[in-house]
Amino acid sequence: MVIIPKPNKTAYDSPKSFQPIVLLNTIRKLIEKVIAECLQFHIAKNNFIHPSQLDGLKFKSTTDAGVTLTHIIRSGWIKNKTTSILAFDIAQFFPSLNHCMLVLSLAKAGLELKVTSFFKDFLVKRKTNYTWNESSSQMFEVNVGVGQGSALSPILSALYLSPLLYILEKRLKTLKIPVSLLSFVDDGLLISQNKSIDILNSQLFCSYNILSSPLDKFGLNIEHSKTEMFHFNRSHRTFNPPPLDLSPLGGPVLRPKNLWKYLGFIFDRKLTFHQHIDYYSNKAISTVKCMKLLGNSTQEINPLQKCLLYRCCVLPIALYGFQL
């Protein structure tokens, strides 16, 4: 970070307005992007990332997570099974990543010693302090956290979560609990399929209980207030499943909902997507109306600019989730 003071004050400058101009170090950001590209290539080559992990990787998006979930639901319907989802959120995910654990994950991924040594010097035993006006605190070590705006944070978070998902999957298989996983950054899903709602609730309860132990060892915690449950069932009869009580595990009592929003997709239990289409159609129409504000008092934007705005701003909104 380079700090350059302002030029000599003029008569119009008050003492309080004298502030330094901060120039961001763009070279550091470029280097981080280069390192992130190299990590992406190496991780994809070694297949280290868990198959159900759809975050932090190139050519992966929320649409992939939505299409995967929709495919699982429809595959269950072919077998006349209801698909139940238990969605959980990891509290303060990026600021909670332990640096020592992250270095171990890098070594586990098969990276060379000099690469892991670089990240150890880059992350471990970092120091910082807080400044308020003219007062500054003492320097103290920061052994957790990855900058959320950094180019390295997506791939580093994916590397951090991958061993956790493998451990959880192995424990579920050992206990013979038929629950699958799906992860997108700090939004995780526990997915179970069965013909009985009571069996589904018991499987999700057990898997939620198993989840807390490996998360705690990785220095992470579930934000129970954001935990949600949803059942996908295409029965034409009245569908009123019982609630899932997670209070013995520190969670809430989850009652079934008519709609569930996940990664911007609005799901209903029959996958008709009526509410999803209504929401994004209205949003697209509102965007078109706002385009009239672009221009000046004497001349509007020309047709070519309107076409470009429509293709860049309106169509992505109107077609979001179309693949589902």
Side-chain angles (χ1 to χ4, degrees):
M1 180 179 293
V2 182
I3 301 178
I4 303 176
K6 291 176 68 175
N8 295 331
K9 293 190 294 180
T10 64
Y12 300 99
D13 290 327
S14 62
K16 292 184 179 179
S17 66
F18 180 71
Q19 297 291 340
I21 300 174
V22 179
L23 300 179
L24 296 178
N25 190 347
T26 55
I27 300 298
R28 175 183 64 84
K29 294 184 178 181
L30 290 174
I31 294 174
E32 286 184 353
K33 286 186 177 181
V34 172
I35 297 173
E37 288 287 330
C38 295
L39 281 176
Q40 288 271 2
F41 176 79
H42 181 81
I43 298 307
K45 181 180 178 181
N46 291 355
N47 294 323
F48 177 75
I49 300 297
H50 194 277
S52 65
Q53 199 171 353
L54 300 175
D55 64 296
L57 302 174
K58 294 186 69 174
F59 311 114
K60 298 290 184 181
S61 64
T62 56
T63 302
D64 296 305
V67 169
T68 302
L69 179 58
T70 306
H71 173 72
I72 293 172
I73 295 166
R74 294 191 179 277
S75 299
W77 285 350
I78 294 175
K79 303 174 183 178
N80 294 323
K81 292 182 179 181
T82 298
T83 301
S84 296
I85 307 292
L86 189 63
F88 62 91
D89 186 85
I90 300 175
Q92 297 294 316
F93 176 63
F94 286 101
S96 302
L97 300 186
N98 186 279
H99 294 164
C100 295
M101 184 68 73
L102 184 55
V103 172
L104 291 175
S105 298
L106 290 167
K108 190 74 174 177
L111 295 171
E112 296 182 8
L113 181 61
K114 58 183 179 182
V115 179
T116 56
S117 299
F118 164 78
F119 276 98
K120 188 174 182 180
D121 294 334
F122 179 69
L123 293 171
V124 179
K125 294 185 179 180
R126 277 187 162 189
K127 293 185 178 182
T128 188
N129 70 329
Y130 291 102
T131 301
W132 181 263
N133 293 334
E134 297 180 356
S135 302
S136 298
S137 66
Q138 295 181 351
M139 300 293 292
F140 58 91
E141 288 191 4
V142 181
N143 292 323
V144 294
V146 175
Q148 194 166 353
S150 171
L152 282 168
S153 61
I155 184 61
L156 291 180
S157 62
L159 284 167
Y160 193 90
L161 274 181
S162 196
L164 172 67
L165 296 177
Y166 278 113
I167 291 171
L168 181 60
E169 183 182 51
K170 185 177 180 180
R171 291 189 181 182
L172 291 172
K173 286 184 177 180
T174 302
L175 296 173
K176 297 182 180 180
I177 301 176
V179 173
S180 55
L181 304 168
L182 193 64
S183 171
F184 195 90
V185 195
D186 56 344
D187 295 319
L189 299 180
L190 298 171
I191 306 170
S192 183
Q193 292 180 326
N194 202 286
K195 295 181 180 180
S196 171
I197 298 296
D198 293 329
I199 295 176
L200 288 171
N201 282 351
S202 63
Q203 290 174 350
L204 292 176
F205 181 89
C206 294
S207 58
Y208 194 76
N209 185 27
I210 295 169
L211 175 65
S212 59
S213 177
L215 274 177
D216 184 62
K217 292 181 179 179
F218 276 72
L220 303 172
N221 294 300
I222 300 176
E223 193 167 353
H224 295 294
S225 60
K226 294 185 178 181
T227 303
E228 296 179 302
M229 180 188 64
F230 198 79
H231 300 285
F232 291 93
N233 185 290
R234 58 178 178 177
S235 174
H236 297 288
R237 297 177 296 177
T238 302
F239 186 70
N240 189 20
L244 176 61
D245 186 8
L246 297 177
S247 55
L249 307 177
V253 178
L254 302 177
R255 304 187 183 280
K257 299 179 179 179
N258 295 324
L259 297 174
W260 174 51
K261 192 170 184 179
Y262 174 66
L263 300 179
F265 308 116
I266 303 175
F267 292 96
D268 57 88
R269 70 178 181 90
K270 292 185 179 182
L271 291 183
T272 61
F273 291 102
H274 291 164
Q275 290 79 7
H276 177 92
I277 294 170
D278 289 342
Y279 176 80
Y280 283 99
S281 297
N282 291 327
K283 194 172 182 179
I285 292 171
S286 300
T287 306
V288 172
K289 291 180 179 179
C290 290
M291 287 169 55
K292 296 180 181 179
L293 301 176
L294 298 175
N296 53 40
S297 58
T298 59
Q299 184 179 4
E300 295 183 354
I301 57 178
N302 59 51
L304 183 62
Q305 292 171 334
K306 288 181 179 180
C307 180
L308 182 63
L309 279 171
Y310 178 78
R311 294 178 63 183
C312 296
C313 302
V314 179
L315 281 182
I317 296 174
L319 299 179
Y320 183 71
F322 176 74
Q323 295 87 344
L324 277 65

